[in-house]
Amino acid sequence: MKEDFPYAVCCSSCGTLLSRSFTGTRSFTHCPKCGAELFYEVGENGPYIKMIKEPKSPPRVSEIPA
């Protein structure tokens, strides 16, 4: 017996958790942290996330000292 469970959907730009959604969910949303606009669809193998509009100021990645 297969249990249905929600998948975590995160922003592909900054990693902020946007939603926990079940298989079959389709949604258009924006990230409250960075402002990116995203479309996601949750299938049998997990969420598919597509960035519709990139954030105005993407998050900075810190440098690793050599």
Side-chain angles (χ1 to χ4, degrees):
M1 184 169 129
K2 183 180 174 186
E3 298 269 338
D4 196 22
F5 62 95
Y7 287 93
V9 178
C10 299
C11 176
S12 52
S13 178
C14 68
T16 300
L17 179 67
L18 300 173
S19 174
R20 295 186 192 278
S21 301
F22 290 98
T23 302
T25 303
R26 297 176 68 187
S27 184
F28 176 79
T29 187
H30 78 280
C31 177
K33 184 174 180 181
C34 71
E37 292 182 12
L38 306 158
F39 170 79
Y40 69 89
E41 181 174 6
V42 182
E44 293 289 327
N45 297 323
Y48 165 75
I49 303 165
K50 181 177 180 182
M51 189 178 301
I52 304 297
K53 183 179 176 186
E54 293 188 21
K56 291 181 182 177
S57 55
R60 294 182 51 116
V61 178
S62 60
E63 294 181 18
I64 299 173

